[in-house]
Every structure is written in structure tokens, then in C-alpha cells.
Amino acid sequence: MELDPTTMTPVVNRIKRARGQLDGVLRMLEEGRDCEDVVTQLAAVSRALDRAGFAIISTGLQQCLTAGDDLDSVDVKKMEKLFLSLA
């Protein structure tokens, strides 16, 4: 299933923000910043990426269900695998 690019705009923006945060983490490491500060920022990047992943999966599932497809056409095992990959 292909995702509608217009509905993915918020996800793309979230990932771009996460990329900026990750750049910040790299700078912090290069500057020798405090371990707690670095780990806090790294955890924020990780949460942002997880949320983006869940948004992609939920949007994809919603598109499957609202596009006129019935529940039998949804690959439940595939969706389960995607959700668990983010857990």
C-alpha cells in the first residue's frame, strides 16, 4: 500500500525535527557535553522517531480501511509485525 503524501506532511515534519535534534546530539558529543544532557536529547530523538513510525502505520491502516477495502484484505500479520518493530 502506498501512503498519500499529503497526509504524511506532519510525519515528514516530525522526522525533519528529529533529524535536527540528532544533529544537536552529535554536536553535543563533539563538544564533550554532559552525559545526562546527551542521553536526554537522544531519548527525545528516539521518541520522535517512534511516534513518526506509529503515525505512518496508523495512517496506512486507516487508508486501508477507508479506501473501500474490507477487513479481510488487511494483512494482520504484516501490521502486527510493523507495530512490534517499533515496540
Side-chain angles (χ1 to χ4, degrees), residues 7-60:
T7 60
M8 288 290 101
T9 300
V11 175
V12 169
N13 291 338
R14 181 182 301 272
I15 292 172
K16 286 179 180 180
R17 278 193 304 276
R19 181 175 53 190
Q21 287 177 304
L22 188 55
D23 287 341
V25 169
L26 289 170
R27 276 192 304 277
M28 293 171 77
L29 288 170
E30 292 169 349
E31 294 169 358
R33 297 276 299 273
D34 181 65
C35 175
E36 185 177 350
D37 294 339
V38 173
V39 171
T40 298
Q41 286 304 310
L42 194 56
V45 172
S46 179
R47 282 191 306 274
L49 291 174
D50 286 345
R51 290 184 64 151
F54 284 123
I56 291 168
I57 293 170
S58 64
T59 300

Side-chain angles (χ1 to χ4, degrees), residues 44-84:
V45 172
S46 179
R47 282 191 306 274
L49 291 174
D50 286 345
R51 290 184 64 151
F54 284 123
I56 291 168
I57 293 170
S58 64
T59 300
L61 182 57
Q62 180 183 19
Q63 286 179 8
C64 277
L65 296 176
T66 58
D69 296 341
D70 59 24
L71 287 176
D72 293 332
S73 69
V74 176
D75 186 343
V76 176
K77 287 292 185 189
K78 188 175 186 178
M79 295 305 290
E80 179 182 357
K81 185 177 178 179
L82 287 172
F83 273 111
L84 291 175

